[in-house]
Amino acid sequence: MIDSQSVKADAVVGSDSRGFDGGKLINGHKRHVVVDTLGLLLGVMVTAADTGDRATAQVLLERVADAHHRLALVWADGGYTGPLVEYCLATLALVLAIVKRSDDMRGSVVLPKRWIVERLFAHLMRTRRLARDYERRTTSAEAVIYWSMTLLMTRRLARPRPSPA
């Protein structure tokens, strides 16, 4: 799954790396993530909030496809439609499946397969350092996201398994 999240930036974040997301009315950074079906992070890219999802997804999906050769299918929301679907199929040999909302849905609705990436964003927001963006450089912000996911994965590995009866 691929998705993005806009996060407010602190005052220490320079104006050269921040932007204004008009859709969510947030001045700060945008986190673009690709996760697997277990909700584990495959790739992350932090940009200014005014950067478009499709342009960043093209670069991020190239990075993820190079690192994970067995990747064949990526689910995305309606913000990733258009020429990106054809680009992924022709250049990266990835099928970009768009999970769309029906027009009669109102309010917040959980869509199939989309909840996995939203759960990752919830895990990130529980990390105190990621609730707001305090990093001056986007590479530092990406490193903090990887650090937070490392903590999540080690907790999952250390969790005691129930014994078979």
Side-chain angles (χ1 to χ4, degrees), residues 41-63:
L41 190 66
L42 297 178
V44 64
M45 189 172 185
V46 176
T47 62
D50 57 358
T51 307
D53 288 346
R54 292 182 197 119
T56 307
Q58 187 173 346
V59 177
L60 181 58
L61 286 173
E62 284 177 12
R63 288 183 192 171

Side-chain angles (χ1 to χ4, degrees), residues 47-150:
T47 62
D50 57 358
T51 307
D53 288 346
R54 292 182 197 119
T56 307
Q58 187 173 346
V59 177
L60 181 58
L61 286 173
E62 284 177 12
R63 288 183 192 171
V64 171
D66 286 342
H68 304 280
H69 301 291
R70 294 179 53 193
L71 186 65
L73 173 66
V74 177
W75 287 294
D77 62 7
Y80 295 94
T81 57
L84 180 63
V85 176
E86 290 83 21
Y87 173 82
C88 286
L89 191 59
T91 308
L92 305 174
L94 290 176
V95 175
L96 188 65
I98 306 297
V99 179
K100 294 185 179 180
R101 291 175 55 126
S102 66
D103 293 333
D104 59 342
M105 291 182 183
R106 301 223 185 264
S108 178
V109 178
V110 177
L111 297 174
K113 301 296 181 188
R114 298 280 310 130
W115 63 270
I116 298 170
V117 71
E118 299 300 333
R119 183 179 64 182
L120 173 95
F121 288 138
H123 285 300
L124 293 180
M125 295 307 280
R126 283 197 330 220
T127 305
R128 186 174 175 196
R129 180 104 181 232
L130 293 173
R132 188 177 186 105
D133 198 358
Y134 298 103
E135 308 303 322
R136 294 181 186 203
R137 297 184 310 163
T138 56
T139 54
S140 299
E142 291 171 6
V144 173
I145 292 170
Y146 280 119
W147 169 74
S148 176
M149 285 307 299
T150 303

Side-chain angles (χ1 to χ4, degrees), residues 7-24:
V7 181
K8 290 182 182 179
D10 195 57
V12 298
V13 178
S15 61
D16 57 336
S17 69
R18 74 167 57 207
F20 184 74
D21 183 0
K24 297 183 180 166

